[in-house]
Amino acid sequence: MTELLHPGELTLAQLRRLSGTERLQVALDPACRTGIRASAELVRKATEGDAPVYGVNTGFGKLATTRIAKEDLAILQLKLLRSHAVGVGDPLDERVVRLILLLKATSLARGYSGVREEVVDTLLALHNQGLTPVIPCQGSVGASGDLAPLAHLSLPLIGEGEVFYQGQRMPAAHGLERAGVKPIKLSAKEGLALINGTQVSTALAINALLATDRLFEAAVISGALTLDAARGSDGPFDPRIHAVRGQPGQIACAAAYRALAVGSEIRKSHLEDDDRVQDPYCLRCQPQVMGACLDQMRHAALVLVREANAVTDNPLVFPEQAEVRGGAVEPALPGHWRRPLEGEVAKGHFGGELVSGGNFHAEPVALAADGLALAIAEIGAITERRIAMLVDTVVSRLPPFLTPDPGLNSGFMIVHVTAAALASENKSLAHPASVDSLPTSANQEDHVSMATFAARRLQPMLKNTAHIVAIELLAAAQGIEFLRPLTSAPGLEGVLRLVRSVSPAMMQDRSLARDIEAVHHLVAAGDIGHAIEAQIPALQALRLA
């Protein structure tokens, strides 16, 4: 089955499919080709005139005042790709690179970049034929576009650089020959359009967002299981409490916690004899904390889907007769944008305007990624507090450190230390990347977003928090063992069976390292939520797409 790409209309659900483990075949909506041709023709005409056009017949960045001879315009674009391919570090994950290819292709296909159809079609051919450009993960400051990583993405289009193909890393020329893809020769502006854009930052952030979605659901479930293991009150989840505050994420989370608790024998057993007035915050404030995280995730999704559909290179190409179209969730551009200041626009008798601007600045992505980092850190932070509560017999009223024979056995004592170490590490990683900026290009590019790092650092944070949630699932499952023969709610019993399928109860000390990794795999793969979400609609309401 072929996935049809409508430039400017990508949805989060479609991005989830496209970034999945299976590489889908894609095709471009034919309706967009007229716009691509019109903008490419405008650039062609501009090269025949005498007016200076940034990136077409001038140098780049601080060298924008340097005019380039007409006979050198093609070599200018070739040298641009070669000079900017200076990334370092490990290659980006294949799934991220696939998404970058698609975002770059659909952005160019919006028809405001002045590239030929051949460029867009070759990007899609790399994707469809299983050719994955080798992109070092470091080297972008998230302004003037993701220059270095996008240069590495683009070199294979001209038969240079490296690709992964059929599990092997090889020179791009060799990979293209084996896959039957013909390299292209760049025309005016095409190299600049390829490397100027936010597609690397955006793909990294979307990839993390989709993983946060799965993690969040697992953390809600593990928190509900801990609530039962600690015989906590369900009073704090009363819908009236959350309605009067009005925060949508909080309301949705409270509904999920209530649904997860339905039918618990453990809960029924202590309705009459519980002498505690209030539970600790890590139990009763779950809707407030997790709800705020959910709202942050939903906001990030809105921003990142906009950016996935955006045109973010420079200069932009506006044919005279073309209607300026916004993206899937963006309004049309205000009319005054059609009248830039003198010197920012190239005008001539070539049927349109080439307008220099700053859409390549990835500040929206940086702030969205920083918001996601805070949410991921907070999910882990409150989860770690629940683990600490479970091993504290004074608060949980369970055996010390969740072992029936404390002293001889340490139980979950050091397992909690691991969770604390990971939660603390996340605090450092959560520091906002967007507040940092170093001028580049001889101070021409004097404020940058650091969006690429902001998005890239989310993966280690996700891994840390997924391990913390896995530890909570193990600890809560252990706590439930001391309450048997009473059962938890039916949905939570399904989660317990899944946990116990990879980790038996621990009544005598053993290394839990493998158990933690096994449950971590269930969390990261989304299996915790998948095990029960079909029977609990309130959980499905927490998903982003």
Side-chain angles (χ1 to χ4, degrees):
M1 180 178 176
T2 300
E3 186 92 19
L4 191 62
L5 303 177
H6 302 278
E9 299 178 13
L10 300 174
T11 65
L12 189 60
Q14 186 177 31
L15 293 169
R16 187 188 292 277
R17 293 193 299 273
L18 293 171
S19 64
T21 54
E22 180 184 356
R23 184 189 292 256
L24 301 177
Q25 294 294 293
V26 298
L28 199 60
D29 180 2
C32 72
R33 292 188 177 272
T34 300
I36 300 174
R37 296 184 196 116
S39 68
E41 177 64 11
L42 196 155
V43 170
R44 187 192 67 78
K45 290 180 179 179
T47 64
E48 298 173 353
D50 295 325
V53 183
Y54 174 73
V56 175
N57 55 18
T58 74
F60 308 104
K62 195 75 170 181
L63 302 174
T65 57
T66 303
R67 290 294 297 270
I68 307 299
K70 290 183 180 180
E71 60 269 22
D72 291 330
L73 297 187
I75 194 67
L76 173 69
Q77 302 300 312
L78 179 62
K79 287 178 178 290
L80 179 68
L81 293 193
R82 289 171 175 168
S83 67
H84 284 55
V86 291
V88 298
D90 295 331
L92 290 176
D93 182 77
E94 178 189 348
R95 290 168 62 175
V96 173
V97 178
R98 281 195 276 122
L99 194 54
I100 298 169
L101 279 168
L102 298 178
L103 295 185
K104 175 53 74 175
T106 54
S107 178
L108 298 178
R110 290 280 302 276
Y112 301 114
S113 298
V115 306
R116 296 165 297 150
E117 292 174 86
E118 185 180 1
V119 175
V120 179
D121 290 339
T122 306
L123 283 166
L124 296 181
L126 292 182
H127 177 278
N128 287 344
Q129 296 303 316
L131 292 157
T132 304
V134 176
I135 304 178
C137 67
Q138 294 171 285
S140 174
V141 295
S144 289
D146 290 312
L147 296 172
L150 284 175
H152 285 280
L153 178 90
S154 303
L155 279 176
L157 297 176
I158 60 174
E160 299 186 16
E162 291 183 294
V163 296
F164 290 108
Y165 182 63
Q166 295 181 343
Q168 294 181 307
R169 182 171 178 168
M170 63 186 67
H174 183 39
L176 265 64
E177 183 179 8
R178 286 179 57 179
V181 176
K182 186 178 179 181
I184 64 174
K185 292 184 178 180
L186 297 175
S187 292
K189 192 185 177 298
E190 289 179 342
L192 184 60
L194 282 165
I195 70 169
N196 229 337
T198 65
Q199 287 77 33
V200 175
S201 303
T202 304
L204 283 165
I206 288 173
N207 182 256
L209 175 71
L210 296 173
T212 307
D213 191 356
R214 297 191 299 270
L215 173 64
F216 182 85
E217 185 179 46
V220 169
I221 293 168
S222 68
L225 192 61
T226 292
L227 182 71
D228 227 14
R231 289 159 288 180
S233 170
D234 57 7
F237 307 101
D238 187 310
R240 295 169 295 182
I241 293 174
H242 309 285
V244 298
R245 193 178 202 184
Q247 295 288 355
Q250 179 178 326
I251 291 169
C253 286
Y257 287 113
R258 290 195 303 273
L260 286 164
V262 171
S264 169
E265 290 183 358
I266 296 172
R267 172 64 191 144
K268 291 178 183 176
S269 73
H270 65 90
L271 281 174
E272 302 297 332
D273 60 358
D274 196 338
D275 57 356
R276 288 179 295 184
V277 177
Q278 290 185 330
D279 292 324
Y281 287 3
C282 65
L283 294 180
R284 63 180 159 111
C285 295
Q286 288 186 81
Q288 288 80 5
V289 175
M290 296 297 283
C293 293
L294 179 59
D295 286 337
Q296 191 76 272
M297 291 161 54
R298 287 171 171 172
H299 174 70
L302 288 174
V303 173
L304 295 175
V305 171
R306 290 184 195 130
E307 196 72 4
N309 286 291
V311 182
T312 54
D313 62 295
N314 177 59
L316 296 181
V317 181
F318 299 104
E320 281 181 350
Q321 303 303 317
E323 176 188 359
V324 179
R325 305 175 302 280
V329 290
E330 286 291 326
L333 300 180
H336 70 268
W337 282 22
R338 299 290 290 146
R339 294 185 291 278
L341 297 173
E342 196 66 33
E344 293 180 343
V345 60
K347 299 181 180 179
H349 300 293
F350 42 81
E353 299 175 350
L354 279 78
V355 186
S356 289
N359 278 2
F360 50 71
H361 199 298
E363 192 76 2
V365 181
L367 291 174
D370 281 346
L372 267 181
L374 294 175
I376 294 166
E378 281 299 277
I379 293 167
I382 194 169
T383 303
E384 182 274 328
R385 289 291 81 205
R386 291 193 298 267
I387 299 167
M389 181 274 304
L390 283 173
V391 300
D392 184 347
T393 186
V394 174
V395 184
S396 70
R397 297 186 294 186
L398 293 167
F401 300 108
L402 302 175
T403 179
D405 190 10
L408 180 62
N409 292 283
S410 296
F412 277 68
M413 179 190 295
I414 307 303
V415 176
H416 166 246
V417 172
T418 298
L422 296 172
S424 187
E425 185 176 307
N426 274 351
K427 294 174 187 177
S428 295
L429 290 171
H431 183 277
S434 57
V435 300
D436 184 31
S437 178
L438 279 175
T440 59
S441 191
N443 285 307
Q444 174 75 359
E445 297 155 8
D446 56 358
H447 182 277
V448 299
S449 71
M450 296 308 300
T452 322
F453 171 68
R456 180 167 54 85
R457 64 74 141 83
L458 297 176
Q459 286 300 330
M461 294 187 69
L462 284 163
K463 189 172 183 179
N464 287 345
T465 301
H467 275 106
I468 297 170
V469 172
I471 290 170
E472 180 182 28
L473 286 166
L474 287 167
Q478 182 78 359
I480 296 290
E481 296 292 340
F482 298 109
L483 306 179
R484 296 300 192 197
L486 297 175
T487 60
S488 187
L492 295 179
E493 285 290 337
V495 173
L496 285 167
R497 286 192 293 272
L498 183 61
V499 171
R500 285 289 172 253
S501 72
V502 297
S503 174
M506 188 180 74
M507 296 306 168
Q508 297 293 324
D509 280 356
R510 68 172 192 273
S511 172
L512 283 175
R514 290 185 178 179
D515 302 64
I516 294 170
E517 288 303 324
V519 180
H520 169 264
H521 177 76
L522 297 176
V523 172
D527 292 343
I528 299 298
H530 292 160
I532 61 171
E533 63 184 10
Q535 57 187 293
I536 302 180
L539 274 180
Q540 298 175 44
L542 303 181
R543 302 300 295 271
L544 298 176

